[in-house]
Amino acid sequence: MEKPLTQHLRKDTKPLSLKEYEQVGGYQSLRKVMKMTPQEVQSVVKDSNLKGRGGAGFSTGLKWSFVPMNVPKPKYLIANADEMEPGTFKDRILLEQTPHQLIEGMIIASFAIQANESFVFLRWAYKNAAKAITKAIQEAHEAGYLGKNILSSGYDLEMHLHTGVGRYMCGEETALLNSLEGKRATPRAKPPFPQISGLFGKPTIVNNVETLCCLPHIINNGAGWFKKLSLTQDSGTKIYGVSGKVKKPGAWELPMGVTLRELIEEHAGGMMDGLRFRGALPGGASTDFLVEEHLDVKMDFAGVAEAGSRLGTGTIVVLDDKTCPVGFVKNLEHFFAQESCGFCTPCREGLPWIEKILNSIEIGDGRTEDIKLLEAHTRLLGPGNTFCALAPGAMEPLQSALKYFKKDFEKHVQDKGCSYSKKSKLQFTN
Amino acid sequence: MLSKEEIKEIDEAIRLVPYKKAASIEALKVVQQHRQWVSDESLKEVASYLEMSAEDLDSVATFYNLIFRQPVGRHIILVCDSISCWVMGHEKIKEKLSERLKIDYGQTTKDGRFTLLPNPCLGTCDCAPAIMVGNDLYRNLSIDQLEGILSKYE
């Protein structure tokens, strides 16, 4: 089984140095690219059917193709390394351990859109990644992979690291651009799309870290090879992760399209002793629950969508039978309410209200009509009613919890409180 | 007054952007790095240096949870309170820290040693529960490890 993105990781989890990266074929792909035209690079990536690994799953080649080619400088390429989706820890591995793979991917992407400036937008908490990337950018500069006239091709590219100062919103691409411009991280209206008018009003591409790390391998091995890595029609490998009460939580690079069952039972070692699988968020906090009937769902974009959820980031959070689903969802909605940027009303006002209702239900003050009120909110804050995807994303775990775990909500109301003992005690004292 | 060192670092950030105001977040980070937090006075100095209003800069500063507009302790403890850490029992970690340091979220110990804050997902969910103290990440935590961790910070 091929694991192009992670096969060369060091056992001690330290970052691969430039020399180590070059020894395993690093920057060979860049050499190839420097002899290609930007259009050729774009068409290989388009043919590979690479889809964005940050959550939205949009075709990377297609996204690039909207960038105008014959326009004055500057254009920008940004690596979205603001990994803040709760339950998600996949990009951290790539950022900390293979910084040169990301840099090579970024140079390839920059060349494909003819950008001469690039940024890594890294979240504050990833301190080891910041160190690794700072060092790697310097090494790449010294080796002639960055800066003026890269590998004597005449192509110039500068790269900078920007570390954020918090806020989930920064992961949304237009909010990220505002933040890079020194503003509050609120989303922008689209159109114009960032490909036309992005950072400082210039054409800009924002790609996820894992997406960018796929590029050197696609160039080296071809679009056909990348497609064959997968078990399904969505190409490539995927870094999947599992957290929650399983025996061996972790992250693994696997062919795109393995089943949820394989991830949980084989890779994560199954549930901890004495616990049963109740459900899972397949791709971070803003995805709909999948439950037991979905264990054989193929974890690719189409498979998870067919089951009524989203692949999202592909990092799974497991709910077990001894953990309260109402408390679980309350924790998620607390996060979303806190992280709402406050820019549009339904999100700013609706999410705290939802959190309060869930809290009432959890501590035994819930009324029967509260459940209907929650259901109404999943529509009121759904797609089309808010400025960006934060609130609709927040509604995904709630609407599916109300569908699959409704009896738990009703029981909380009837019993005036939570019967999942351990958690409820803590909730009461809060 | 901004120090020479602060001005030098802010200038480096300005160099990368088309106009001064765009370096506002970097400038706030520089000041916080040197002074632990951003006081009203520091905020006004930075705003004037970036040729923007203090109100405008404050709207940026108060948006981001890791820019501190109140005095903080020498070491910031961030407790991950997101979903995987919640499932794995982060509340016990928080309770123990609160009990030991006699502070709740948002508060600083009397000796100015620690400030306790909740933080969204620290991105290490397979090793939950997790906290950060300053720049250091601690994962797979149990409450009996906390005393040893705290003792590392003066």
Side-chain angles (χ1 to χ4, degrees):
Chain A
M1 192 163 53
E2 287 186 87
K3 301 183 176 191
L5 273 64
T6 57
Q7 64 177 336
H8 298 301
L9 297 187
R10 290 169 56 114
K11 287 220 167 67
D12 63 6
T13 73
K14 292 217 170 89
L16 283 186
S17 67
L18 174 62
K19 209 170 157 199
E20 287 167 323
Y21 184 62
E22 285 175 329
Q23 275 165 0
V24 295
Y27 290 107
Q28 287 307 316
S29 172
L30 177 64
R31 287 174 198 280
K32 243 178 162 170
V33 163
M34 289 300 128
K35 292 180 186 131
M36 294 164 76
T37 64
Q39 287 72 21
E40 281 169 341
V41 178
Q42 285 199 17
S43 83
V44 174
V45 173
K46 213 182 271 180
D47 290 347
S48 78
N49 195 24
L50 171 65
K51 290 180 183 170
R53 296 331 195 206
F58 192 76
S59 159
T60 305
L62 193 61
K63 191 176 190 179
W64 291 353
S65 71
F66 301 131
V67 174
M69 290 311 272
N70 297 313
V71 290
K73 288 177 186 179
K75 284 191 259 186
Y76 298 100
L77 183 282
I78 294 159
N80 187 346
D82 192 57
E83 182 168 67
M84 278 193 70
E85 180 73 21
T88 303
F89 52 99
K90 66 180 182 71
D91 292 339
R92 182 196 271 272
I93 298 165
L94 299 169
L95 290 159
E96 287 181 350
Q97 301 183 45
T98 65
H100 280 289
Q101 181 172 245
L102 171 66
I103 291 173
E104 187 176 12
M106 286 176 71
I107 308 171
I108 294 166
S110 300
F111 179 80
I113 59 161
Q114 290 291 292
N116 300 105
E117 289 281 338
S118 59
F119 289 89
V120 180
F121 191 107
L122 181 70
R123 69 172 295 195
W124 177 92
Y126 285 8
K127 296 291 176 187
N128 289 338
K131 263 188 233 160
I133 291 163
T134 304
K135 183 163 177 254
I137 290 177
Q138 199 184 340
E139 286 175 332
H141 242 286
E142 283 160 12
Y145 299 132
L146 283 174
K148 295 255 177 244
N149 195 17
I150 294 169
L151 298 171
S152 311
S153 64
Y155 174 64
D156 307 334
L157 179 67
E158 291 301 332
M159 191 175 288
H160 315 284
L161 173 66
H162 173 90
T163 48
V165 275
R167 298 310 295 265
Y168 174 64
M169 270 310 298
C170 293
E172 199 276 342
E173 74 176 2
T174 61
L176 181 151
L177 298 174
N178 277 342
S179 189
L180 259 186
E181 292 183 5
K183 298 174 185 159
R184 293 165 75 96
T186 51
R188 295 178 181 177
K190 292 190 270 193
F193 286 87
Q195 292 96 317
I196 309 294
S197 176
L199 188 62
F200 302 114
K202 304 294 177 189
T204 302
I205 285 288
V206 183
N207 281 146
N208 167 262
V209 169
E210 188 185 350
T211 312
L212 290 162
C213 286
C214 290
L215 298 174
H217 308 289
I218 292 172
I219 299 292
N220 263 338
N221 303 303
W225 166 85
F226 190 71
K227 282 183 176 168
K228 280 192 202 136
L229 290 175
S230 148
L231 302 173
T232 60
Q233 52 182 340
D234 287 329
S235 307
T237 59
K238 177 79 195 75
I239 302 181
Y240 294 102
V242 178
S243 67
K245 290 192 172 166
V246 292
K247 285 201 180 101
K248 294 184 295 176
W252 314 275
E253 184 181 6
L254 297 166
M256 179 73 88
V258 297
T259 63
L260 184 59
R261 185 187 299 282
E262 184 185 330
L263 283 166
I264 292 171
E265 290 177 4
E266 291 179 31
H267 300 284
M271 301 302 291
M272 282 183 182
D273 291 334
L275 297 179
R276 276 178 56 85
F277 174 86
R278 190 91 199 277
L281 306 174
S286 57
T287 56
D288 282 274
F289 278 98
L290 296 181
V291 292
E292 210 164 352
E293 69 189 76
H294 302 120
L295 278 170
D296 293 310
V297 159
K298 290 186 172 68
M299 288 287 289
D300 67 358
F301 295 102
V304 184
E306 223 167 276
S309 185
R310 291 187 304 119
L311 179 63
T313 59
T315 39
I316 296 152
V317 188
V318 174
L319 169 70
D320 58 87
D321 64 340
K322 298 270 168 66
T323 297
C324 172
V326 179
F328 192 101
V329 176
K330 188 191 122 183
N331 175 279
L332 298 172
E333 300 308 327
H334 165 72
F335 165 82
F336 287 114
Q338 174 186 295
E339 294 302 318
S340 168
C341 74
F343 183 67
C344 75
T345 311
C347 182
R348 182 187 64 237
E349 304 297 324
L351 289 172
W353 199 356
I354 287 169
E355 187 192 347
K356 278 180 198 159
I357 297 171
L358 286 167
N359 193 53
S360 296
I361 295 175
E362 182 70 3
I363 66 170
D365 288 340
R367 305 163 306 170
T368 313
E369 55 267 38
D370 284 340
I371 296 170
K372 280 200 180 110
L373 203 54
L374 287 174
E375 280 166 343
H377 273 76
T378 64
R379 292 184 293 275
L380 292 166
L381 272 70
N385 292 335
T386 60
F387 206 78
C388 82
L390 187 140
M395 292 306 96
E396 292 180 25
L398 177 62
Q399 70 194 10
S400 48
L402 287 166
K403 179 172 166 194
Y404 298 121
F405 312 124
K406 192 158 191 179
K407 284 197 176 127
D408 281 280
F409 286 83
E410 289 166 351
K411 194 166 184 311
H412 274 71
V413 173
Q414 280 155 16
D415 298 357
K416 300 208 170 303
C418 178
S419 57
Y420 294 80
S421 57
K422 208 175 57 179
K423 287 278 184 225
S424 77
K425 241 185 213 165
L426 285 166
Q427 302 284 350
F428 276 116
T429 56
N430 263 351
Chain B
M1 283 281 287
L2 293 171
S3 71
K4 269 189 189 161
E5 190 57 32
E6 285 169 327
I7 289 179
K8 195 180 143 221
E9 288 172 37
I10 294 172
D11 283 344
E12 274 169 35
I14 292 174
R15 204 169 45 81
L16 295 181
V17 289
Y19 45 90
K20 285 187 179 177
K21 199 173 150 173
S24 66
I25 292 171
E26 289 298 325
L28 290 166
K29 274 161 61 186
V30 167
V31 168
Q32 184 162 295
Q33 182 75 29
H34 287 268
R35 309 176 187 200
Q36 288 191 333
W37 67 293
V38 181
S39 65
D40 287 353
E41 195 187 319
S42 312
L43 186 96
K44 282 177 196 157
E45 285 162 10
V46 174
S48 134
Y49 194 74
L50 298 177
E51 295 165 5
M52 62 197 289
S53 72
E55 289 74 14
D56 200 359
L57 185 63
D58 204 16
S59 84
V60 174
T62 54
F63 185 85
Y64 295 96
N65 58 310
L66 295 169
I67 294 293
F68 306 126
R69 287 284 283 117
Q70 288 176 39
V72 288
R74 293 191 292 283
H75 309 285
I76 311 280
I77 304 174
L78 298 179
V79 180
C80 177
D81 66 353
S82 288
I83 192 62
S84 305
C85 283
W86 178 83
V87 170
M88 300 308 285
H90 89 282
E91 282 161 330
K92 281 185 200 154
I93 303 283
K94 191 266 166 179
E95 279 184 4
K96 185 73 189 173
L97 284 168
S98 275
E99 183 192 305
R100 168 70 182 72
L101 299 172
K102 302 190 177 62
I103 48 173
D104 203 347
Y105 281 144
Q107 297 176 340
T108 300
T109 53
K110 275 192 185 139
D111 57 3
R113 194 166 151 220
F114 294 110
T115 297
L116 188 64
L117 294 171
N119 201 74
C121 189
L122 288 171
T124 185
C125 320
D126 53 338
C127 304
I131 64 170
M132 280 182 85
V133 184
N135 290 338
D136 308 320
L137 176 67
Y138 297 95
R139 21 194 195 185
N140 290 318
L141 272 180
S142 58
I143 46 175
D144 46 355
Q145 291 168 272
L146 294 174
E147 201 54 52
I149 292 170
L150 294 177
S151 69
K152 290 186 201 169
Y153 300 88
E154 280 305 310

